[in-house]
Amino acid sequence: MPTALITGASRGLGAAIARALAPTHDLLLGGRPSAELDDLAMELEGSSTWSVELTDHDEVEAATEAITSLDVLVHNAGVGGISPVEETPAEEYRRIMEVNFIAAAELTRLLLPALREVDGHIVFVNSGAGRTARPGWSAYAASKFALRAFSESLREEEPDLRVTSVFPGRIDTDMQRELVDIEGGEYDATRFLAPQTVAAAVAQAIATPRDAHPTEIVLRPTGRR
């Protein structure tokens, strides 16, 4: 079976993407070492953990050396944060940019030879914040706008690869609960997209026949679940 590497796979959307791809792919489950990641690897036949700190570029380079062929790379790992510009120091911009953009760019660069080997597919899980920046979201939106620009440039540079950006609205995950808590709101899961819904869209993009290039997918919650 083809091989897919998913970052941020230990829980939430990453785990949902892993479950959606498990029937058709051998999986490398990226994430920090954890019982959750180990349990997911045991649950999904044909999967193994790929425990790497994505912001440690030397560690990432060493971990990618053994990957000589890769069919799918799903960039799902990310961090969030909400604060007005006047309360957001440079360190916060660096923290979010390092994880959400720079780590993804570097991992992509290192894996390009493996992806080129099989005309692979790169999926960037972006965000609605990668298309519209709202008050309080300057750091997070900046990282996602950067990721969007990177994906567009990559798509033009690598015509033999497929590059898909997925722009979901807010998703029912642990990170979403933390963000709602920061906002001072009451959490209502029905307001947000189910992780399985977004995972299904990712899997469908990957399954799209090769005569089509799914470049962008935009998902918005309806509140109907």
Side-chain angles (χ1 to χ4, degrees):
M1 285 200 295
T3 300
L5 168 58
I6 306 164
T7 67
S10 61
R11 58 179 182 162
L13 177 58
I17 293 171
R19 291 187 177 100
L21 293 182
T24 54
H25 291 75
D26 291 326
L27 302 178
L28 295 173
L29 304 174
R32 295 187 178 94
S34 68
E36 293 169 311
L37 195 66
D38 292 340
D39 289 345
L40 186 63
M42 291 181 64
E43 173 193 337
L44 302 177
E45 183 178 352
S47 67
S48 58
T49 60
W50 195 73
S51 300
V52 179
E53 173 52 64
L54 293 175
T55 59
D56 185 331
H57 302 308
D58 291 336
E59 182 179 344
V60 172
E61 183 171 11
T64 56
E65 287 179 353
I67 303 175
T68 58
S69 178
L70 185 65
D71 299 274
V72 177
L73 172 60
V74 180
H75 289 290
N76 171 72
V79 295
I82 303 174
S83 59
V85 170
E86 67 175 346
E87 297 175 12
T88 308
E91 291 76 12
E92 179 69 355
Y93 286 101
R94 290 192 185 99
R95 178 185 75 89
I96 293 177
M97 191 68 74
E98 181 68 38
V99 176
N100 292 357
F101 168 56
I102 296 175
E106 178 65 357
L107 181 58
T108 300
R109 183 184 72 84
L110 292 169
L111 287 174
L112 274 177
L115 289 156
R116 289 169 178 155
E117 185 70 21
V118 288
D119 293 342
H121 194 157
I122 305 170
V123 178
F124 294 93
V125 178
N126 202 295
S127 167
R131 299 173 67 87
T132 303
R134 298 189 300 150
W137 292 74
S138 63
Y140 181 74
S143 72
K144 292 299 188 177
F145 267 72
L147 192 65
R148 178 184 177 184
F150 177 79
S151 69
E152 292 177 356
S153 182
L154 179 67
R155 190 179 297 120
E156 295 300 316
E157 290 182 16
E158 300 288 338
D160 292 331
L161 303 182
R162 294 200 294 182
V163 178
T164 302
S165 288
V166 182
F167 298 92
R170 299 176 73 166
I171 307 169
D172 177 21
T173 61
D174 291 341
M175 187 173 79
Q176 197 64 244
R177 290 181 180 275
E178 295 169 3
L179 293 174
V180 171
D181 186 59
I182 293 171
E183 291 173 321
E186 182 176 343
Y187 196 83
D188 178 2
T190 63
R191 294 171 48 212
F192 308 122
L193 291 162
Q196 295 81 3
T197 300
V198 182
V202 171
Q204 181 59 48
I206 294 168
T208 300
R210 294 293 307 189
D211 63 323
H213 189 160
T215 57
E216 293 189 351
I217 299 171
V218 179
L219 302 172
R220 293 289 178 264
T222 63
R224 293 178 183 173
R225 68 184 182 97

